[in-house]
């Protein structure tokens, strides 16, 4: 019997379509320490590429001239959010929100890459129970943190 989802993939695989797919691939490989799986390129245009970041695959290709810009919004769980953010900023990303611990147990930061895509970077710090979530939701520290991240300009 054939698997519904091919080996090495998940049910959902994001596409990033960009006019500079090759440069975006280089950015992602460095920032997220990914691995290029494959690339189909014809006359300098990437028709299909795949990279693995952690346990997930991201597919990319160069957009067509008549297509509008379509930025991606991606969320990543990482072991060291500060080093990921530092690598991104060193490669030309723009900080959207600084690392901020939120009530549900993650520290979250956001950045925009030089190609227009937006990233939520999560480092899971604490497994929280429903009771702890309720307690943290009324804690002024977490109320202020949520107001900060919710109030950021995304685009």
């Amino acid at each position: 019997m054939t698997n519904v989802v091919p080996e090495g993939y998940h049910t959902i695989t994001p596409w990033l379509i960009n006019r500079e797919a090759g440069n975006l691939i280089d950015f992602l490989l460095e920032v997220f320490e990914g691995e290029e799986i494959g690339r189909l390129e014809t006359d300098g245009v990437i028709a299909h590429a795949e990279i693995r970041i952690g346990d997930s695959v991201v597919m990319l290709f160069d957009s067509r001239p008549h297509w509008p810009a379509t930025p991606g919004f991606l969320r990543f769980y990482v072991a060291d959010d500060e080093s990921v953010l530092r690598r991104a900023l060193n490669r030309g990303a723009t900080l959207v929100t600084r690392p901020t611990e939120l009530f549900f147990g993650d520290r979250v930061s956001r950045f925009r890459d030089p190609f227009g895509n937006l990233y939520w970077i999560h480092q899971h710090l604490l497994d929280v129970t429903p009771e702890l979530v309720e307690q943290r939701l009324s804690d002024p520290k977490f109320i202020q943190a949520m107001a900060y991240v919710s109030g950021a300009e995304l685009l």
Side-chain angles (χ1 to χ4, degrees):
M1 176 176 220
T2 302
N3 291 331
V4 173
V5 179
E7 184 69 34
Y9 293 81
H10 292 98
T11 304
I12 298 173
T13 302
W15 282 99
L16 290 176
I17 304 164
N18 193 277
R19 286 186 171 81
E20 298 182 61
N23 291 330
L24 177 55
I25 290 167
D26 293 342
F27 178 88
L28 292 169
L29 293 177
E30 183 174 323
V31 170
F32 293 102
E33 300 177 329
E35 165 196 4
E36 187 168 332
I37 298 170
R39 182 187 303 212
L40 175 60
E41 193 168 338
T42 305
D43 298 325
V45 175
I46 296 175
H48 182 88
E50 296 183 12
I51 61 174
R52 184 173 307 284
I53 299 172
D55 65 356
S56 299
V57 173
V58 177
M59 295 185 184
L60 304 100
F61 65 89
D62 281 311
S63 65
R64 305 308 179 244
H66 60 284
W67 290 2
T70 310
F73 290 63
L74 299 173
R75 175 180 173 177
F76 288 80
Y77 273 99
V78 299
D80 183 354
D81 63 320
E82 292 175 349
S83 60
V84 168
L85 183 57
R86 184 174 46 257
R87 287 192 300 269
L89 296 175
N90 287 340
R91 294 259 327 167
T94 303
L95 182 67
V96 174
T97 55
R98 66 185 179 278
T100 305
E101 185 178 349
L102 297 176
F103 70 91
F104 52 86
D106 290 1
R107 184 170 51 228
V108 178
S109 58
R110 291 181 285 195
F111 66 84
R112 185 176 305 100
D113 72 21
F115 314 98
N117 302 296
L118 188 65
Y119 302 83
W120 276 254
I121 307 304
H122 287 243
Q123 182 172 336
H124 188 65
L125 304 174
L126 178 68
D127 293 329
V128 293
T129 63
E131 296 79 23
L132 185 55
V133 165
E134 186 152 335
Q135 177 185 346
R136 290 170 71 129
L137 277 170
S138 62
D139 183 328
K141 168 186 165 183
F142 294 110
I143 292 170
Q144 184 178 18
M146 194 55 129
Y148 166 66
V149 297
S150 297
E153 292 293 325
L154 298 183
L155 294 177

